[in-house]
Coordinates of all heavy atoms in Angstrom, one line a residue:
M1 N 62.2 -33.7 -282.8 CA 60.9 -34.2 -282.2 C 59.7 -33.8 -283.0 O 59.6 -32.6 -283.4 CB 60.8 -33.5 -280.8 CG 61.8 -34.0 -279.7 SD 61.3 -35.6 -279.4 CE 62.8 -36.0 -278.3
P2 N 58.9 -34.7 -283.1 CA 57.5 -34.4 -283.9 C 56.7 -33.4 -283.2 O 56.8 -33.4 -281.9 CB 56.9 -35.8 -284.1 CG 57.5 -36.7 -283.1 CD 58.8 -36.0 -282.8
V3 N 55.9 -32.6 -283.8 CA 55.1 -31.7 -283.2 C 53.7 -32.1 -283.5 O 53.3 -32.2 -284.6 CB 55.4 -30.2 -283.7 CG1 54.4 -29.2 -283.1 CG2 56.8 -29.8 -283.4
K4 N 52.9 -32.3 -282.4 CA 51.5 -32.6 -282.6 C 50.6 -31.5 -282.6 O 50.7 -30.6 -281.8 CB 51.1 -33.7 -281.5 CG 51.5 -35.1 -281.7 CD 51.1 -35.9 -280.5 CE 51.7 -37.4 -280.6 NZ 51.4 -38.1 -279.3
Y5 N 49.6 -31.6 -283.4 CA 48.5 -30.5 -283.4 C 47.3 -31.2 -282.8 O 46.8 -32.2 -283.4 CB 48.2 -30.1 -284.8 CG 49.1 -28.9 -285.2 CD1 50.4 -29.2 -285.5 CD2 48.7 -27.6 -285.1 CE1 51.2 -28.1 -285.9 CE2 49.5 -26.5 -285.6 CZ 50.8 -26.9 -285.9 OH 51.7 -25.8 -286.3
R6 N 46.7 -30.7 -281.7 CA 45.6 -31.3 -281.1 C 44.5 -30.1 -280.8 O 44.9 -29.0 -280.5 CB 46.0 -31.9 -279.7 CG 44.9 -32.7 -279.1 CD 45.5 -33.3 -277.9 NE 46.4 -34.4 -278.0 CZ 46.1 -35.6 -278.3 NH1 45.0 -36.1 -278.3 NH2 47.2 -36.5 -278.6
C7 N 43.3 -30.6 -281.1 CA 42.2 -29.5 -280.9 C 42.0 -29.2 -279.3 O 42.0 -30.2 -278.6 CB 40.9 -30.0 -281.4 SG 39.6 -28.8 -281.2
R8 N 42.0 -28.0 -279.0 CA 41.9 -27.6 -277.6 C 40.5 -27.8 -277.1 O 40.3 -27.8 -275.8 CB 42.5 -26.3 -277.3 CG 41.7 -25.1 -278.0 CD 42.6 -23.9 -278.1 NE 43.3 -23.6 -276.9 CZ 42.9 -22.7 -276.0 NH1 42.0 -21.9 -276.2 NH2 43.7 -22.5 -274.9
H9 N 39.6 -28.0 -277.9 CA 38.2 -28.2 -277.5 C 37.8 -29.7 -277.4 O 37.1 -30.1 -276.4 CB 37.2 -27.4 -278.4 CG 37.4 -25.9 -278.4 ND1 37.1 -25.2 -277.4 CD2 38.1 -25.1 -279.3 CE1 37.4 -23.9 -277.6 NE2 38.0 -23.8 -278.7
C10 N 38.0 -30.4 -278.4 CA 37.5 -31.8 -278.4 C 38.8 -32.8 -278.4 O 38.4 -34.0 -278.4 CB 36.7 -32.0 -279.7 SG 37.6 -32.0 -281.2
E11 N 39.9 -32.4 -278.2 CA 41.0 -33.2 -278.0 C 41.4 -34.1 -279.3 O 42.2 -35.1 -279.1 CB 40.9 -34.1 -276.9 CG 40.7 -33.4 -275.5 CD 42.1 -32.8 -275.0 OE1 42.9 -33.5 -275.0 OE2 41.9 -31.6 -274.7
T12 N 40.7 -33.8 -280.4 CA 41.0 -34.6 -281.6 C 42.5 -34.3 -282.1 O 42.9 -33.0 -282.1 CB 40.1 -34.2 -282.7 OG1 38.9 -34.6 -282.3 CG2 40.4 -34.9 -284.0
E13 N 43.2 -35.3 -282.5 CA 44.6 -35.0 -283.0 C 44.4 -34.6 -284.4 O 43.9 -35.4 -285.2 CB 45.4 -36.2 -282.8 CG 46.9 -35.8 -283.0 CD 47.9 -37.0 -282.6 OE1 47.6 -37.6 -281.5 OE2 48.7 -37.3 -283.4
I14 N 44.8 -33.4 -284.7 CA 44.6 -32.9 -286.0 C 45.7 -33.3 -287.0 O 45.5 -33.6 -288.3 CB 44.6 -31.3 -286.1 CG1 43.4 -30.9 -285.3 CG2 44.5 -30.7 -287.5 CD1 43.4 -29.4 -284.7
G15 N 47.0 -33.4 -286.5 CA 48.1 -33.8 -287.4 C 49.4 -33.7 -286.6 O 49.5 -33.3 -285.5
T16 N 50.4 -34.3 -287.3 CA 51.8 -34.1 -286.7 C 52.8 -33.7 -287.8 O 52.7 -34.1 -288.9 CB 52.1 -35.6 -286.3 OG1 51.2 -36.1 -285.4 CG2 53.5 -35.6 -285.6
L17 N 53.6 -32.8 -287.2 CA 54.7 -32.3 -288.0 C 55.9 -33.3 -287.7 O 56.3 -33.3 -286.6 CB 55.0 -30.9 -287.8 CG 54.0 -29.8 -288.3 CD1 54.6 -28.4 -287.8 CD2 53.8 -29.8 -289.7
P18 N 56.4 -33.9 -288.7 CA 57.5 -34.9 -288.4 C 59.0 -34.3 -288.1 O 59.9 -34.9 -288.5 CB 57.6 -35.7 -289.6 CG 57.2 -34.9 -290.7 CD 56.2 -33.9 -290.1
F19 N 59.0 -33.0 -287.7 CA 60.3 -32.4 -287.3 C 60.0 -31.5 -286.3 O 59.0 -31.1 -286.0 CB 60.9 -31.8 -288.7 CG 60.0 -30.9 -289.4 CD1 60.1 -29.4 -289.0 CD2 59.1 -31.3 -290.4 CE1 59.2 -28.6 -289.6 CE2 58.2 -30.3 -290.9 CZ 58.3 -29.0 -290.5
D20 N 61.2 -31.0 -285.8 CA 61.2 -30.0 -284.8 C 60.9 -28.6 -285.3 O 61.8 -27.9 -285.8 CB 62.4 -30.0 -283.9 CG 62.3 -29.2 -282.7 OD1 61.3 -28.4 -282.5 OD2 63.1 -29.4 -281.7
A21 N 59.6 -28.1 -285.3 CA 59.3 -27.0 -285.9 C 58.9 -25.9 -284.9 O 58.1 -25.0 -285.1 CB 58.1 -27.2 -287.0
D22 N 59.5 -26.1 -283.7 CA 59.0 -25.3 -282.6 C 59.2 -23.8 -282.8 O 58.3 -23.0 -282.6 CB 59.9 -25.6 -281.3 CG 59.3 -25.2 -280.0 OD1 58.1 -25.4 -280.0 OD2 60.0 -24.7 -279.2
D23 N 60.4 -23.4 -283.4 CA 60.6 -21.9 -283.6 C 59.6 -21.4 -284.7 O 59.0 -20.4 -284.6 CB 62.0 -21.8 -284.2 CG 63.1 -21.8 -283.0 OD1 62.6 -21.8 -281.8 OD2 64.2 -22.1 -283.3
T24 N 59.4 -22.3 -285.8 CA 58.5 -21.9 -286.7 C 57.0 -21.7 -286.3 O 56.4 -20.7 -286.5 CB 58.3 -22.9 -287.9 OG1 59.8 -23.2 -288.3 CG2 57.6 -22.4 -289.0
I25 N 56.7 -22.7 -285.3 CA 55.4 -22.6 -284.8 C 55.1 -21.3 -283.9 O 54.2 -20.6 -284.0 CB 55.0 -23.8 -283.9 CG1 54.8 -25.1 -284.9 CG2 53.8 -23.7 -283.1 CD1 54.9 -26.4 -284.2
R26 N 56.2 -21.1 -283.2 CA 56.1 -19.8 -282.3 C 55.9 -18.7 -283.1 O 55.2 -17.7 -282.9 CB 57.3 -19.8 -281.5 CG 57.2 -20.7 -280.2 CD 58.5 -20.7 -279.4 NE 58.3 -21.6 -278.2 CZ 57.7 -21.1 -277.1 NH1 57.4 -19.9 -276.9 NH2 57.5 -22.0 -276.1
K27 N 56.7 -18.5 -284.2 CA 56.6 -17.4 -285.1 C 55.0 -17.2 -285.6 O 54.6 -16.2 -285.8 CB 57.6 -17.4 -286.2 CG 59.0 -16.9 -285.6 CD 60.0 -17.2 -286.8 CE 61.4 -17.1 -286.2 NZ 62.4 -18.0 -286.8
L28 N 54.7 -18.4 -286.1 CA 53.3 -18.4 -286.8 C 52.3 -18.0 -285.8 O 51.3 -17.2 -286.2 CB 53.0 -19.7 -287.4 CG 53.8 -20.2 -288.7 CD1 53.4 -21.7 -288.9 CD2 53.3 -19.3 -289.8
H29 N 52.4 -18.6 -284.7 CA 51.3 -18.4 -283.8 C 51.4 -17.1 -282.9 O 50.2 -16.7 -282.5 CB 51.0 -19.6 -282.7 CG 50.6 -20.9 -283.3 ND1 49.3 -21.3 -283.3 CD2 51.2 -21.8 -284.2 CE1 49.2 -22.4 -283.9 NE2 50.2 -22.7 -284.6
L30 N 52.4 -16.6 -282.9 CA 52.7 -15.4 -282.1 C 51.7 -14.2 -282.7 O 51.0 -13.4 -282.0 CB 54.1 -14.9 -282.3 CG 54.7 -13.9 -281.3 CD1 54.6 -14.4 -279.9 CD2 56.1 -13.5 -281.7
F31 N 51.5 -14.3 -284.0 CA 50.7 -13.1 -284.6 C 49.3 -13.4 -284.4 O 48.5 -12.5 -284.4 CB 51.0 -13.1 -286.1 CG 52.5 -12.7 -286.4 CD1 53.4 -13.7 -286.9 CD2 52.9 -11.5 -286.2 CE1 54.7 -13.3 -287.1 CE2 54.2 -11.0 -286.4 CZ 55.1 -12.0 -286.8
E32 N 48.8 -14.7 -284.2 CA 47.5 -15.0 -284.1 C 47.0 -14.9 -282.7 O 45.8 -14.4 -282.4 CB 47.2 -16.5 -284.6 CG 47.4 -16.7 -286.1 CD 47.3 -18.1 -286.6 OE1 46.6 -18.9 -285.8 OE2 47.8 -18.4 -287.6
V33 N 47.7 -15.4 -281.8 CA 47.1 -15.6 -280.5 C 47.9 -14.7 -279.3 O 47.2 -14.6 -278.4 CB 47.1 -17.0 -280.0 CG1 46.1 -17.9 -280.8 CG2 48.4 -17.7 -280.1
G34 N 49.0 -14.4 -279.6 CA 49.7 -13.7 -278.6 C 50.4 -14.4 -277.5 O 51.6 -14.6 -277.5
E35 N 49.6 -15.0 -276.5 CA 50.1 -15.8 -275.5 C 50.5 -17.3 -276.0 O 49.7 -18.2 -275.9 CB 49.1 -15.8 -274.3 CG 49.0 -14.5 -273.6 CD 50.1 -14.1 -272.9 OE1 50.9 -14.9 -272.4 OE2 50.4 -12.9 -272.9
V36 N 51.6 -17.3 -276.6 CA 52.1 -18.7 -277.2 C 52.0 -19.8 -276.2 O 51.6 -21.0 -276.4 CB 53.3 -18.6 -278.0 CG1 53.8 -19.9 -278.4 CG2 53.1 -17.5 -279.0
D37 N 52.5 -19.5 -275.0 CA 52.8 -20.6 -274.0 C 51.3 -21.3 -273.6 O 51.3 -22.3 -273.1 CB 53.3 -20.1 -272.8 CG 54.9 -19.7 -273.2 OD1 55.4 -20.3 -274.1 OD2 55.5 -19.0 -272.3
D38 N 50.3 -20.6 -273.8 CA 49.0 -21.2 -273.5 C 48.5 -22.1 -274.6 O 47.7 -23.1 -274.3 CB 47.8 -20.1 -273.4 CG 47.9 -19.2 -272.3 OD1 48.8 -19.5 -271.4 OD2 47.2 -18.1 -272.3
Y39 N 49.2 -22.2 -275.7 CA 48.8 -23.0 -276.8 C 49.8 -24.1 -277.1 O 49.4 -25.0 -277.7 CB 48.6 -22.1 -278.1 CG 47.3 -21.2 -277.9 CD1 47.4 -20.0 -277.3 CD2 46.1 -21.7 -278.5 CE1 46.3 -19.3 -277.2 CE2 45.0 -20.9 -278.4 CZ 45.1 -19.8 -277.8 OH 43.9 -18.9 -277.6
I40 N 51.0 -23.9 -276.7 CA 52.1 -24.8 -277.0 C 52.5 -25.5 -275.6 O 53.0 -24.8 -274.7 CB 53.3 -24.1 -277.7 CG1 52.9 -23.6 -279.1 CG2 54.5 -25.2 -277.9 CD1 53.9 -22.8 -279.7
E41 N 52.5 -26.8 -275.6 CA 52.8 -27.5 -274.4 C 54.0 -28.4 -274.8 O 54.0 -29.1 -275.7 CB 51.6 -28.3 -274.0 CG 51.7 -29.1 -272.8 CD 50.5 -30.1 -272.7 OE1 49.4 -29.6 -272.6 OE2 50.7 -31.3 -272.7
K42 N 55.0 -28.6 -273.7 CA 56.0 -29.5 -274.0 C 56.1 -30.4 -272.8 O 55.8 -29.9 -271.6 CB 57.4 -28.7 -273.9 CG 57.8 -28.5 -275.4 CD 59.3 -28.2 -275.4 CE 59.8 -28.1 -276.9 NZ 61.1 -27.6 -277.2
N43 N 56.0 -31.6 -273.0 CA 56.1 -32.6 -271.8 C 57.6 -33.0 -271.5 O 58.5 -32.4 -272.1 CB 55.3 -34.0 -272.2 CG 55.8 -34.8 -273.3 OD1 57.1 -34.6 -273.6 ND2 55.2 -35.8 -273.7
E44 N 57.7 -33.9 -270.6 CA 59.0 -34.1 -270.1 C 59.9 -34.9 -271.1 O 61.2 -34.9 -270.9 CB 59.0 -34.9 -268.7 CG 58.3 -36.3 -268.9 CD 56.9 -36.2 -268.7 OE1 56.2 -35.1 -268.5 OE2 56.2 -37.2 -268.8
R45 N 59.4 -35.5 -272.0 CA 60.2 -36.2 -273.1 C 60.6 -35.2 -274.3 O 61.2 -35.5 -275.2 CB 59.4 -37.3 -273.6 CG 59.2 -38.6 -272.8 CD 58.6 -39.6 -273.4 NE 57.2 -39.3 -274.0 CZ 56.7 -40.0 -274.9 NH1 57.2 -40.9 -275.6 NH2 55.5 -39.5 -275.4
G46 N 60.1 -33.9 -274.1 CA 60.4 -33.0 -275.1 C 59.4 -32.9 -276.3 O 59.7 -32.3 -277.3
D47 N 58.4 -33.8 -276.2 CA 57.4 -33.7 -277.2 C 56.6 -32.4 -277.1 O 56.3 -31.9 -276.1 CB 56.4 -34.8 -277.0 CG 57.0 -36.2 -277.2 OD1 58.1 -36.2 -277.9 OD2 56.5 -37.2 -276.7
T48 N 56.3 -31.9 -278.3 CA 55.5 -30.6 -278.3 C 54.2 -30.9 -278.8 O 54.0 -31.5 -279.8 CB 56.3 -29.6 -279.3 OG1 57.6 -29.4 -278.8 CG2 55.6 -28.3 -279.4
T49 N 53.2 -30.3 -278.1 CA 51.8 -30.2 -278.7 C 51.3 -29.0 -278.8 O 51.4 -28.1 -277.9 CB 50.9 -31.1 -277.6 OG1 51.4 -32.5 -277.4 CG2 49.5 -31.2 -278.1
V50 N 50.8 -28.7 -279.8 CA 50.2 -27.4 -280.2 C 48.6 -27.6 -280.1 O 48.1 -28.2 -280.7 CB 50.5 -26.9 -281.5 CG1 49.8 -25.6 -281.8 CG2 51.9 -26.7 -281.8
H51 N 48.0 -26.7 -279.1 CA 46.5 -26.7 -278.9 C 46.0 -25.7 -279.9 O 46.1 -24.5 -279.5 CB 46.2 -26.5 -277.5 CG 46.8 -27.5 -276.5 ND1 46.1 -28.6 -276.3 CD2 48.0 -27.6 -275.8 CE1 46.9 -29.4 -275.5 NE2 48.0 -28.8 -275.2
C52 N 45.3 -26.2 -280.9 CA 44.7 -25.2 -281.7 C 43.2 -25.6 -281.8 O 42.7 -26.2 -280.9 CB 45.4 -25.2 -283.1 SG 45.8 -26.9 -283.8
I53 N 42.6 -25.3 -282.9 CA 41.2 -25.8 -283.2 C 40.9 -26.5 -284.4 O 41.4 -26.1 -285.5 CB 40.3 -24.4 -282.9 CG1 38.8 -24.7 -283.0 CG2 40.7 -23.4 -284.0 CD1 37.9 -23.6 -282.4
C54 N 40.2 -27.5 -284.3 CA 39.9 -28.3 -285.5 C 38.8 -27.6 -286.3 O 38.1 -26.7 -285.8 CB 39.5 -29.7 -285.3 SG 38.0 -30.0 -284.4
E55 N 38.6 -28.1 -287.5 CA 37.6 -27.5 -288.4 C 36.1 -27.6 -287.8 O 35.3 -26.7 -287.9 CB 37.5 -28.2 -289.8 CG 38.7 -27.7 -290.7 CD 38.7 -28.4 -292.1 OE1 37.6 -28.7 -292.6 OE2 39.7 -28.5 -292.6
H56 N 36.0 -28.8 -287.3 CA 34.6 -29.1 -286.6 C 34.3 -28.0 -285.5 O 33.2 -27.5 -285.5 CB 34.6 -30.4 -286.1 CG 33.4 -30.8 -285.3 ND1 32.1 -31.0 -285.9 CD2 33.1 -30.9 -284.0 CE1 31.2 -31.3 -284.9 NE2 31.8 -31.2 -283.8
C57 N 35.3 -27.9 -284.7 CA 35.1 -27.0 -283.6 C 35.0 -25.4 -284.0 O 34.2 -24.6 -283.5 CB 36.1 -27.1 -282.6 SG 36.0 -28.7 -281.6
E58 N 35.7 -25.3 -285.0 CA 35.8 -23.9 -285.5 C 34.4 -23.5 -286.1 O 33.8 -22.4 -285.8 CB 36.8 -23.8 -286.7 CG 37.1 -22.3 -287.0 CD 38.2 -22.1 -288.0 OE1 38.7 -23.2 -288.6 OE2 38.8 -21.0 -288.1
D59 N 33.8 -24.4 -286.7 CA 32.4 -24.3 -287.2 C 31.3 -24.1 -286.1 O 30.6 -23.2 -286.1 CB 31.9 -25.5 -288.2 CG 32.6 -25.5 -289.5 OD1 33.2 -24.5 -289.8 OD2 32.6 -26.5 -290.2
S60 N 31.6 -25.0 -285.1 CA 30.6 -24.9 -284.0 C 30.8 -23.5 -283.2 O 29.8 -22.9 -282.8 CB 30.9 -26.0 -283.0 OG 30.8 -27.3 -283.5
L61 N 32.0 -23.1 -283.2 CA 32.3 -21.9 -282.4 C 31.7 -20.7 -283.1 O 31.2 -19.8 -282.4 CB 33.9 -21.8 -282.4 CG 34.5 -20.7 -281.6 CD1 34.1 -20.9 -280.1 CD2 35.9 -20.6 -281.8
R62 N 31.6 -20.8 -284.4 CA 31.0 -19.7 -285.2 C 29.4 -19.7 -285.0 O 28.8 -18.7 -284.9 CB 31.3 -19.9 -286.7 CG 32.3 -19.0 -287.2 CD 32.5 -18.9 -288.6 NE 33.8 -19.1 -289.0 CZ 34.2 -20.2 -289.7 NH1 33.5 -21.1 -290.1 NH2 35.5 -20.3 -290.1
Q63 N 29.0 -21.0 -284.7 CA 27.5 -21.0 -284.6 C 27.0 -20.9 -283.2 O 25.9 -20.4 -282.9 CB 27.0 -22.4 -285.1 CG 26.9 -22.6 -286.5 CD 26.6 -23.9 -286.9 OE1 27.2 -25.0 -286.5 NE2 25.5 -24.1 -287.8
F64 N 28.0 -21.3 -282.3 CA 27.5 -21.1 -280.8 C 28.6 -20.6 -280.0 O 29.3 -21.3 -279.1 CB 27.2 -22.6 -280.3 CG 26.2 -23.4 -281.1 CD1 26.7 -24.4 -281.9 CD2 24.9 -23.1 -281.0 CE1 25.8 -25.1 -282.6 CE2 24.0 -23.8 -281.8 CZ 24.4 -24.9 -282.7
P65 N 29.0 -19.3 -280.3 CA 30.2 -18.8 -279.5 C 29.9 -18.7 -277.9 O 30.9 -18.8 -277.3 CB 30.2 -17.3 -280.1 CG 28.9 -17.0 -280.7 CD 28.4 -18.5 -281.1
D66 N 28.7 -18.5 -277.5 CA 28.4 -18.5 -276.1 C 28.8 -19.8 -275.4 O 29.3 -19.9 -274.4 CB 27.0 -18.1 -275.8 CG 26.7 -16.7 -276.2 OD1 27.6 -15.9 -276.4 OD2 25.5 -16.4 -276.4
Y67 N 28.4 -20.9 -276.0 CA 28.7 -22.2 -275.4 C 30.1 -22.4 -275.2 O 30.6 -22.8 -274.2 CB 28.1 -23.3 -276.4 CG 28.5 -24.6 -276.0 CD1 28.0 -25.3 -274.8 CD2 29.4 -25.4 -276.7 CE1 28.4 -26.5 -274.5 CE2 29.9 -26.6 -276.4 CZ 29.3 -27.3 -275.3 OH 29.8 -28.6 -274.9
Y68 N 31.0 -22.0 -276.3 CA 32.4 -22.3 -276.1 C 33.1 -21.4 -275.2 O 34.0 -21.8 -274.5 CB 33.0 -22.2 -277.5 CG 33.0 -23.5 -278.3 CD1 31.9 -23.9 -279.0 CD2 33.9 -24.6 -278.0 CE1 31.8 -25.1 -279.6 CE2 33.8 -25.8 -278.7 CZ 32.8 -26.1 -279.6 OH 32.6 -27.2 -280.1
A69 N 32.6 -20.2 -275.0 CA 33.1 -19.3 -274.2 C 32.9 -19.8 -272.7 O 33.8 -19.8 -271.8 CB 32.4 -17.9 -274.3
L70 N 31.7 -20.3 -272.4 CA 31.4 -20.9 -271.1 C 32.2 -22.1 -270.8 O 32.9 -22.2 -269.8 CB 29.9 -21.2 -271.2 CG 29.3 -21.8 -269.8 CD1 29.3 -20.7 -268.8 CD2 27.9 -22.4 -270.0
K71 N 32.4 -23.0 -271.8 CA 33.2 -24.3 -271.7 C 34.6 -23.9 -271.3 O 35.3 -24.6 -270.4 CB 33.1 -25.1 -272.9 CG 33.4 -26.5 -272.7 CD 33.3 -27.2 -273.9 CE 33.9 -28.7 -273.8 NZ 34.3 -29.2 -275.1
K72 N 35.2 -22.9 -271.9 CA 36.5 -22.6 -271.7 C 36.7 -22.1 -270.3 O 37.7 -22.3 -269.6 CB 36.8 -21.4 -272.7 CG 38.3 -21.2 -272.8 CD 38.6 -20.0 -273.8 CE 40.0 -19.5 -273.7 NZ 40.2 -18.3 -274.5
W73 N 35.7 -21.3 -269.7 CA 35.9 -20.9 -268.4 C 35.7 -22.0 -267.3 O 36.4 -21.9 -266.3 CB 34.8 -19.8 -268.0 CG 35.1 -18.6 -268.6 CD1 34.5 -17.8 -269.6 CD2 36.1 -17.6 -268.1 NE1 35.1 -16.6 -269.8 CE2 36.0 -16.5 -268.9 CE3 37.0 -17.7 -267.0 CZ2 36.9 -15.4 -268.7 CZ3 37.8 -16.5 -266.8 CH2 37.8 -15.5 -267.6
L74 N 35.0 -23.0 -267.7 CA 34.7 -24.1 -266.7 C 36.0 -25.1 -266.7 O 36.2 -25.7 -265.7 CB 33.6 -24.9 -267.1 CG 32.1 -24.2 -267.0 CD1 31.2 -25.1 -267.5 CD2 31.9 -23.9 -265.5
Q75 N 36.7 -25.1 -267.7 CA 38.0 -26.0 -267.7 C 39.1 -25.6 -266.8 O 39.3 -24.5 -266.8 CB 38.4 -26.1 -269.2 CG 37.5 -27.2 -269.9 CD 38.0 -27.2 -271.4 OE1 38.7 -26.4 -271.9 NE2 37.4 -28.3 -272.1
Ligands
ZN101 ZN1 37.8 -30.0 -282.1

């Protein structure tokens, strides 16, 4: 199953891994975020979506950390 990368802030699709890299992703993200299940979503068809952050939002986050913290709480 392909693994999609989607920005958790602006919903932009960042990219797709054309193979089932679920285990690899879990290992990679485990060190970064801890709560992997908050970031990796599986739908009923078995598709995996990884919610990460795109370059655009990462830049904005650095410039306006308060805005993104607020938006996260509201969602
Ligand atoms: Zn984004």
Side-chain angles (χ1 to χ4, degrees):
M1 285 294 172
V3 178
K4 281 183 191 168
Y5 275 76
R6 193 177 288 274
C7 179
R8 65 201 314 258
H9 295 288
C10 67
E11 300 287 314
T12 297
E13 200 170 309
I14 298 163
T16 304
L17 293 176
F19 55 89
D20 192 343
D22 202 40
D23 286 343
T24 309
I25 289 164
R26 281 179 177 269
K27 281 172 198 154
L28 284 174
H29 286 260
L30 200 62
F31 297 106
E32 290 178 22
V33 295
E35 294 292 327
V36 174
D37 288 340
D38 287 350
Y39 290 82
I40 298 176
E41 179 189 304
K42 267 197 170 175
N43 70 11
E44 61 277 1
R45 289 186 303 157
D47 296 336
T48 304
T49 303
V50 180
H51 297 277
C52 46
I53 186 164
C54 69
E55 280 182 34
H56 172 76
C57 288
E58 197 175 11
D59 286 346
S60 303
L61 190 61
R62 259 191 232 114
Q63 287 178 305
F64 310 106
D66 292 345
Y67 169 74
Y68 275 88
L70 184 68
K71 201 178 168 204
K72 196 178 162 191
W73 279 108
L74 291 172
Q75 279 173 345

